[in-house]
C-alpha cells in the first residue's frame, strides 16, 4: 500500500486515482481547477463516465481517496506521484508540455524524500528526460527520485473497466527500485495475468503514440475504402466485416463513419508527425491518416448537401454531439465541424445529445438546443446522426418520420440498415453503402 498523489483529475487522473484507491492505496487527487476539486469534495464527478461515480464515492467513504488543490502538500505526503495532466496540441501541432513541466517543478520544490514520478499523460519520447532535468534543477534537497513512463490506454466511456482490465500494462523505467514500486502498485492486475511490458522509458513513451497512430490509421483506412464503395455501389460494412474475420486484421476500429475525434487521436497523431519531423523523418502513413480524417468531415457535409439537394435555408436535426458514445467529451468531435459547415452553408440546426448538452452549450452558437430526439427532429428537412449512441439504435422511427417535415436521414455512423429504412419510408443516406435512392 502506498501514499499516492495523482496530479490532474481529468478523465485519466480521476479514473487512475479512484482505481488505485480501490486497490487499497491512500490516494490524494490534486488539481489546479478549484471548481473541479470543490465538486469532487462533494463526491460529484465533474464529467460523465459510466461507473466512476460509484467507485469515487466508495473510496471517499473508506477514507482512501481525497481531493485537494494543494499540489505541494499532495506531493510531500506521497511516495508515488502520477502525472495525469493534459498535454493538448500546441498551435504548431506539437504536444504542449507546459502542464507536465508545471508538475515537475512542483515535485522538485516539494521533494522531501525518495519519490517515483510516473508519467501517465501521453508525452513524446524524451519527455521523461526533461521531467528529470526540471526536478533535478528545482530541488534543493538532493533527495533521490525516479521518473517512470506508464502510458494509459483507457477509453472514455469504458474508462473504469479499461483501467481494471487493461490489455496490457506498460512500464518504462531505468531503475529497478522504481520498477519494484510499480509492480507492487499494479499487483492486483498482475495477479490476474494481465500482461506487463517492462522496457526503457523512451520505448514506453513510443508505444502509446504508435498504438494511437495505428488505430487512427485503421479508421482512416476503412473510411477511404468506404469512399470507393460509395462510388462503385458496394457495401463497406460487409467489406469491413469480412476483413475483420481475418485474424491478422481483426474487426475493431474498422467502422466507416465520420472519422475519429476526441482528446487523443487528433492530437497524438499530429504530435507524432511533429516528433518525426524534428528528427528529419517524414511519417507518411500517419500524415495520410490525418488528411483522410479531415477530409472525411467535409465528405459528411457533402453527403448531407447531396441528400437534401442544398442545405441553405433547410432546418436540420444534428443528433449526437459527443465525439463518441458514453462520454460527454466534445473535444475535436466531428459534430462540431459538421455543425459549423452546415451553418456556414445557411442551414438552421436543432441539436441533441443524450449527455453532452451542457458542454455543447459552451461550444456551439446559433443552434437550437433540444430536450430529446423527437423535439430535435420536429419540422425538420433532414436528420443527421453523428454519434452512435445506443439510445438511437432502438428509436421509435415511425414517430421520427411523422414528426419530420421531410423524412430524410443522413446516418454518419451506419447505425441503421438501409433496407429497413427504405421499408419505413425514409430517404436514407449512410457511409460507404448504397443509399435508398440507388
Ligand atoms: P483532462 O483535460 O480531462 O484533465 C487534465 C487535468 O489536469 C485538468 O483537470 C487540469 O485542470 C489539470 N491540471 C493542469 N495542470 C495541472 C497542474 N499543474 N497540477 C494539477 N493539475 C493540473 O485530460 P485527460 O483527458 O484526462 O488527459 C490527460 C492525459 O492523459 C493527456 O496527456 C492525454 O493525452 C492522456 N490520455 C487521455 C485519455 C483519454 O481518453 N482522455 C486516454 C489515454 C491517455
Amino acid at each position: 500500500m502506498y501514499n499516492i498523489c495523482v496530479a490532474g483529475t481529468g478523465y485519466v487522473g480521476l479514473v487512475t486515482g479512484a482505481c488505485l484507491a480501490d486497490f487499497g492505496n491512500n490516494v490524494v487527487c490534486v488539481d489546479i481547477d478549484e471548481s473541479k476539486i470543490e465538486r469532487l469534495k462533494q463526491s460529484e464527478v465533474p464529467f460523465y463516465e459510466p461507473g466512476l461515480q460509484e467507485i469515487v464515492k466508495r473510496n471517499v467513504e473508506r477514507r482512501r481517496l481525497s481531493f485537494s488543490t494543494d499540489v505541494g502538500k499532495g506531493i510531500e505526503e506521497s511516495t508515488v506521484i502520477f502525472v495525469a495532466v493534459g498535454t493538448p496540441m500546441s498551435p504548431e501541432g506539437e504536444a504542449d508540455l507546459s502542464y507536465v513541466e508545471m508538475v515537475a517543478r512542483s515535485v522538485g520544490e516539494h521533494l522531501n524524500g525518495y519519490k517515483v514520478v510516473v508519467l501517465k499523460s501521453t508525452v513524446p519520447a524524451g519527455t521523461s528526460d526533461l521531467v528529470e532535468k526540471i526536478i533535478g534543477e528545482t530541488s534543493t534537497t538532493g533527495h533521490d527520485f525516479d521518473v517512470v513512463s506508464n502510458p494509459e490506454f483507457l477509453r472514455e466511456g469504458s474508462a473504469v473497466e479499461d483501467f481494471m482490465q487493461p490489455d496490457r500494462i506498460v512500464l518504462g523505467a531505468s531503475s529497478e527500485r522504481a520498477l519494484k514500486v510499480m509492480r507492487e502498485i499494479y499487483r492486483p492486475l498482475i495477479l490476474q495475468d494481465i500482461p506487463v511490458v517492462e522496457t526503457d522509458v523512451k520505448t514506453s513513451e513510443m508505444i502509446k503514440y504508435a498504438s494511437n497512430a495505428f488505430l487512427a490509421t485503421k479508421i482512416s483506412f476503412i473510411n477511404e475504402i468506404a469512399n470507393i464503395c460509395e462510388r462503385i455501389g458496394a457495401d463497406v460494412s460487409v467489406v469491413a466485416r469480412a476483413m475483420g474475420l481475418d485474424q491478422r486484421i481483426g474487426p475493431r476500429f474498422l467502422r466507416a463513419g465520420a472519422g475519429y475525434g476526441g482528446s487523443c487521436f487528433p492530437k497524438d497523431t499530429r504530435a507524432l508527425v511533429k516528433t518525426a519531423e524534428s528528427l528529419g523523418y517524414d511519417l507518411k502513413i500517419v500524415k495520410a491518416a490525418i488528411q483522410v480524417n479531415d477530409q472525411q468531415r467535409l465528405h459528411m457535409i457533402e453527403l448531407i448537401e447531396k441528400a437534401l439537394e442544398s442545405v441553405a435555408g433547410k432546418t436540420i436535426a444534428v443528433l449526437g454531439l459527443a465525439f463518441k458514445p458514453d462520454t460527454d467529451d466534445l473535444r475535436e468531435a466531428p459534430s462540431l465541424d459538421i455543425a459549423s459547415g452546415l451553418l456556414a452553408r445557411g442551414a438552421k440546426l436543432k441539436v441533441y445529445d443524450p449527455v453532452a448538452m451542457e458542454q455543447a452549450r459552451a461550444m456551439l452558437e446559433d443552434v437550437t438546443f433540444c430536450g430529446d430526439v423527437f423535439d430535435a427532429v420536429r419540422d425538420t428537412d433532414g436528420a443527421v446522426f453523428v454519434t452512435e449512441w445506443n439510445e438511437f439504435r432502438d428509436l421509435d422511427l415511425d414517430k421520427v418520420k411523422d414528426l419530420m417535415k421531410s423524412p430524410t436521414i443522413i446516418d454518419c455512423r451506419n447505425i441503421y440498415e438501409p433496407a429497413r429504412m427504405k421499408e419505413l419510408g425514409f430517404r436514407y443516406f449512410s457511409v460507404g453503402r448504397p443509399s435508398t435512392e440507388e
Side-chain angles (χ1 to χ4, degrees):
M1 193 199 75
Y2 283 93
N3 285 344
I4 295 174
C5 170
V6 180
T9 54
Y11 291 89
V12 168
L14 186 56
V15 171
T16 302
C19 292
L20 292 180
D22 219 45
F23 291 171
N25 298 287
N26 285 322
V27 180
V28 56
C29 287
V30 297
D31 205 294
I32 50 174
D33 183 334
E34 287 179 13
S35 67
K36 224 177 215 182
I37 293 296
E38 245 350 280
R39 289 175 74 177
L40 282 162
K41 280 184 173 166
Q42 317 297 323
S43 282
E44 189 194 325
V45 173
F47 48 84
Y48 179 82
E49 184 59 53
L52 187 54
Q53 180 76 48
E54 292 80 348
I55 194 167
V56 165
K57 199 164 168 282
R58 178 165 73 231
N59 285 283
V60 168
E61 278 166 10
R62 291 182 187 167
R63 300 185 174 278
R64 292 194 297 233
L65 181 63
S66 60
F67 302 97
S68 172
T69 49
D70 193 340
V71 180
K73 187 160 173 263
I75 291 168
E76 283 176 10
E77 290 177 353
S78 305
T79 312
V80 187
I81 295 109
F82 278 79
V83 182
V85 296
T87 47
M89 187 159 56
S90 75
E92 292 74 37
E94 289 154 0
D96 173 354
L97 296 177
S98 54
Y99 303 106
V100 172
E101 291 171 12
M102 209 190 291
V103 178
R105 278 194 295 278
S106 300
V107 174
E109 284 159 11
H110 297 274
L111 196 69
N112 56 348
Y114 173 71
K115 295 191 193 293
V116 180
V117 180
V118 187
L119 292 179
K120 256 234 172 284
S121 299
T122 304
V123 291
T127 304
S128 59
D129 290 346
L130 174 72
V131 167
E132 208 170 303
K133 185 165 167 275
I134 295 174
I135 299 174
E137 283 171 0
T138 325
S139 166
T140 50
T141 59
H143 287 295
D144 277 350
F145 65 93
D146 282 305
V147 180
V148 172
S149 162
N150 170 220
E152 183 51 61
F153 299 94
L154 62 76
R155 297 159 299 171
E156 286 170 28
S158 53
V160 173
E161 200 187 315
D162 289 347
F163 191 94
M164 293 296 201
Q165 291 289 320
D167 289 339
R168 75 298 209 189
I169 298 160
V170 177
L171 300 175
S174 54
S175 124
E176 188 52 39
R177 186 179 181 188
L179 255 183
K180 207 168 149 253
V181 172
M182 295 308 291
R183 285 188 206 118
E184 279 174 24
I185 287 177
Y186 280 109
R187 194 204 298 271
L189 300 183
I190 295 170
L191 285 174
Q192 295 173 52
D193 283 337
I194 305 284
V196 181
V197 179
E198 291 184 3
T199 182
D200 62 88
V201 181
K202 283 195 179 107
T203 304
S204 167
E205 289 167 333
M206 268 308 289
I207 289 169
K208 175 67 189 174
Y209 278 100
S211 304
N212 274 3
F214 187 78
L215 292 171
T217 303
K218 220 174 160 189
I219 294 171
S220 281
F221 181 87
I222 200 65
N223 279 337
E224 285 220 283
I225 297 297
N227 292 338
I228 309 173
C229 287
E230 268 168 34
R231 284 167 173 76
I232 56 174
D235 184 336
V236 74
S237 57
V238 182
V239 173
R241 177 160 181 269
M243 280 174 69
L245 288 168
D246 185 325
Q247 289 183 16
R248 293 168 303 176
I249 298 173
R252 296 168 72 187
F253 284 76
L254 273 187
R255 287 189 70 96
Y260 59 79
S263 66
C264 291
F265 289 178
K267 79 172 171 65
D268 294 347
T269 45
R270 284 187 163 81
L272 187 59
V273 166
K274 282 285 172 187
T275 301
E277 251 172 50
S278 72
L279 298 165
Y281 188 77
D282 183 21
L283 198 63
K284 297 183 201 64
I285 293 178
V286 181
K287 269 164 102 173
I290 296 169
Q291 204 188 343
V292 169
N293 198 57
D294 291 345
Q295 183 187 292
Q296 194 67 5
R297 295 180 181 203
L298 293 176
H299 181 56
M300 293 302 105
I301 297 169
E302 284 160 10
L303 187 68
I304 301 163
E305 279 270 19
K306 181 179 136 197
L308 299 179
E309 290 144 14
S310 165
V311 300
K314 302 266 167 68
T315 303
I316 302 170
V318 178
L319 304 167
L321 304 169
F323 86 91
K324 68 173 184 177
D326 293 328
T327 182
D328 58 0
D329 199 344
L330 264 119
R331 289 179 283 187
E332 304 277 339
S335 65
L336 300 178
D337 281 346
I338 292 173
S340 66
L342 294 176
L343 287 171
R345 286 166 173 78
K348 294 189 195 73
L349 301 186
K350 296 175 76 182
V351 306
Y352 167 71
D353 186 279
V355 303
M357 294 305 275
E358 195 187 321
Q359 284 71 5
R361 278 178 214 279
M363 295 175 94
L364 283 173
E365 281 176 4
D366 303 324
V367 301
T368 306
F369 295 97
C370 299
D372 61 27
V373 172
F374 304 118
D375 185 14
V377 298
R378 186 171 290 118
D379 296 326
T380 54
D381 300 285
V384 184
F385 286 87
V386 189
T387 312
E388 65 278 36
W389 282 96
N390 267 341
E391 172 179 324
F392 300 156
R393 292 189 195 276
D394 49 25
L395 263 187
D396 181 346
L397 289 165
D398 282 321
K399 185 169 172 190
V400 167
K401 184 170 157 256
D402 289 346
L403 287 169
M404 292 177 77
K405 203 176 355 165
S406 148
T408 302
I409 283 185
I410 301 95
D411 179 357
C412 300
R413 296 290 178 186
N414 292 354
I415 302 170
Y416 304 110
E417 277 312 309
R420 177 157 175 260
M421 297 307 273
K422 190 171 185 174
E423 225 176 84
L424 287 168
F426 284 103
R427 293 177 66 239
Y428 177 75
F429 300 78
S430 57
V431 184
R433 306 185 301 180
S435 77
T436 51
E437 317 264 282
E438 286 156 42

